[in-house]
Amino acid sequence: MRPFGNDITNIPNNNGGGGNGNGGGGDDHTNANSTNGNNNATTNTDANGNQDNVGDNANHNDNSNIPVAITDDPRIPPHIARIGGVAAFSPIAGKGVIRVVRRCEDAKENNKLDLSQCELMQIPDAVYHLMRNTELQTCNLSGNVLKKVSPKFALKFSAITDLNLSHNQLTRLPDEFASLTELTRLNISNNSFIVLPQVVFKLPNLTTLDAQNNAILEIDTEEAITSNQLALVDLRNNPLSRNCRRKLQDFQTSFRLEISNDVEDDW
């Protein structure tokens, strides 16, 4: 399955001339009649008496500007089909779209959005559209290929309490994450962070932060790394420098800080 991002909504509609269901002769006939500025079925009749064909083609052209779903797959809900066609997807990628849509529909029932293992490169706009009337409680985006999370995510899903971003390719979190005021658990393990995002310490109700298995080298102890509710920050299996380890061991925090045992050589 190839990863997909906003392609779920940004595929152009199939309005090209080659996509018309009528034959080429019918289209030429319709275009010839349309030069008179009138697509009425009763205005022109050709030498062969094909008046009915004129009307059929004219009606076809009248409807050609209406967005249509360019897929025969009945599993694509009509409201998603209207957002944009999916015919440009390969059959395998199309299954990925269906998976995302189905999981969004499930989230409307249980307020828990699970988009794990969907090979997302970014969060599709269609997800925000589908979830616009749903107040999510949890969101699982683990096991994708996300390189960033847009500020829109925090603004649209500000009520979530549990967010799993593990096993992606993230290197930073947007400052807008501070608006996730209800978030209590955040998992950013197994990503590509080289510094611990400072925004996590601006989350007023965060109790648990899992940042294992990243590429974090240093922790800026000059910045505020305190939180009223934070109980655990897990930094195990990060290549922290020996100097950073020493500073963290001596640093007084209000939460439990877990780091791996010292190693012989600095990274």
Side-chain angles (χ1 to χ4, degrees):
M1 181 187 302
R2 75 167 179 85
F4 65 89
N6 279 351
D7 289 347
I8 194 173
T9 59
N10 289 344
I11 296 177
N13 293 322
N14 188 17
N15 290 332
N20 288 336
N22 295 324
D27 286 340
D28 293 341
H29 182 81
T30 302
N31 292 335
N33 289 330
S34 65
T35 58
N36 294 326
N38 191 344
N39 284 331
N40 234 330
T42 60
T43 54
N44 294 308
T45 303
D46 62 14
N48 295 322
N50 291 329
Q51 182 173 346
D52 289 339
N53 289 338
V54 173
D56 291 343
N57 287 333
N59 289 336
H60 178 79
N61 282 351
D62 286 342
N63 294 329
S64 63
N65 290 328
I66 300 175
V68 294
I70 48 177
T71 177
D72 294 328
D73 196 328
R75 294 171 296 177
I76 300 292
H79 58 290
I80 292 301
R82 286 195 296 270
I83 295 175
V86 295
F89 287 111
S90 66
I92 296 178
K95 293 180 181 178
V97 177
I98 295 168
R99 182 187 306 150
V100 170
V101 172
R102 285 179 173 173
R103 293 187 183 184
C104 286
E105 295 296 333
D106 290 342
K108 292 179 181 180
E109 302 295 328
N110 58 25
N111 301 103
K112 299 177 181 180
L113 180 60
D114 181 4
L115 295 181
S116 61
Q117 303 292 332
C118 288
E119 297 197 27
L120 295 173
M121 294 185 294
Q122 55 186 319
I123 301 171
D125 287 338
V127 170
Y128 298 116
H129 176 78
L130 287 168
M131 296 289 96
R132 67 192 184 282
N133 296 321
T134 303
E135 188 173 279
L136 292 179
Q137 297 175 354
T138 68
C139 183
N140 185 353
L141 291 165
S142 65
N144 286 292
V145 284
L146 298 173
K147 293 185 177 180
K148 65 178 181 179
V149 179
S150 72
K152 182 191 298 187
F153 176 88
L155 301 177
K156 295 290 186 180
F157 301 145
S158 58
I160 60 174
T161 60
D162 191 317
L163 176 58
N164 188 345
L165 295 171
S166 65
H167 295 275
N168 280 285
Q169 300 174 16
L170 299 172
T171 58
R172 63 180 299 274
L173 297 177
D175 293 337
E176 286 77 6
F177 259 49
S179 65
L180 298 175
T181 56
E182 303 300 319
L183 193 65
T184 60
R185 297 176 60 87
L186 175 61
N187 188 343
I188 58 172
S189 65
N190 295 279
N191 276 281
S192 301
F193 291 97
I194 59 174
V195 296
L196 188 64
Q198 283 297 314
V199 69
V200 300
F201 298 109
K202 298 178 182 179
L203 299 169
N205 286 305
L206 189 68
T207 60
T208 303
L209 172 64
D210 188 347
Q212 298 181 73
N213 296 295
N214 277 280
I216 298 174
L217 295 166
E218 296 287 340
I219 306 294
D220 189 356
T221 55
E222 301 300 322
E223 295 284 339
I225 59 172
T226 60
S227 174
N228 292 332
Q229 302 296 326
L230 197 57
L232 171 64
V233 174
D234 193 340
L235 291 172
R236 289 176 295 176
N237 300 316
N238 278 286
L240 298 171
S241 68
R242 181 168 297 173
N243 184 52
C244 179
R245 292 171 184 274
R246 289 170 181 160
K247 287 194 299 182
L248 290 175
Q249 288 171 352
D250 296 335
F251 198 75
Q252 298 297 319
T253 64
S254 57
F255 51 85
R256 188 168 88 252
L257 181 63
E258 293 192 0
I259 60 176
S260 299
N261 292 330
D262 202 358
V263 292
E264 293 225 352
D265 297 320
D266 289 342
W267 290 75

